[in-house]
Amino acid sequence: MSGDNYYFGDSVSMHGGLGNTGIVKNQAAPAQTSPELEAALRQLVELLTELRAQVPPARAQSLDEALPDIASPAVEPQQRHRALLAVAGIAATVGAVGQPVVEAVNSVLALIGG
């Protein structure tokens, strides 16, 4: 096996030179979302914005903290799932006002397989 090279992750080899800066990161691009999921997420964000105005400040802050994890396409699936469950829990505690959010969360979860 002499001379075989196995690389896992990034590999950098520099031989001389001046002012060497930067590295090429060989990472996969974020997964593309379906148009249905994008539409469901947009609807959920709109509903969360409306709900935010109708809940106490502490719950509004929790919604604000979860929103980036829901709306960002680059977020890890587990992180998005946790944020969805958090906002569904908040929506469920406020009764009928939160019911549209709970339904929207369930739609998103169905689309992402959660």
Side-chain angles (χ1 to χ4, degrees):
M1 283 218 168
S2 179
D4 291 340
N5 295 314
Y6 299 96
Y7 297 101
F8 298 96
D10 297 324
S11 174
V12 178
S13 297
M14 294 176 27
H15 303 283
L18 297 171
N20 297 320
T21 59
I23 183 172
V24 175
K25 301 294 278 181
N26 295 318
Q27 297 176 346
Q32 297 296 320
T33 58
S34 69
E36 295 85 11
L37 178 57
E38 288 179 13
L41 289 170
R42 273 194 307 274
Q43 178 187 17
L44 177 57
V45 169
E46 289 174 16
L47 291 170
L48 287 172
T49 303
E50 293 170 13
L51 180 63
R52 187 190 182 287
Q54 300 176 31
V55 297
R59 290 183 184 166
Q61 181 179 355
S62 294
L63 293 175
D64 290 343
E65 290 169 359
L67 196 56
D69 291 338
I70 292 171
S72 173
V75 73
E76 293 291 324
Q78 270 186 320
Q79 196 171 345
R80 177 175 280 162
H81 192 263
R82 273 192 299 272
L84 289 167
L85 293 179
V87 298
I90 293 168
T93 65
V94 296
V97 173
Q99 189 58 36
V101 171
V102 173
E103 292 171 3
V105 167
N106 287 334
S107 296
V108 170
L109 287 172
L111 289 169
I112 63 173

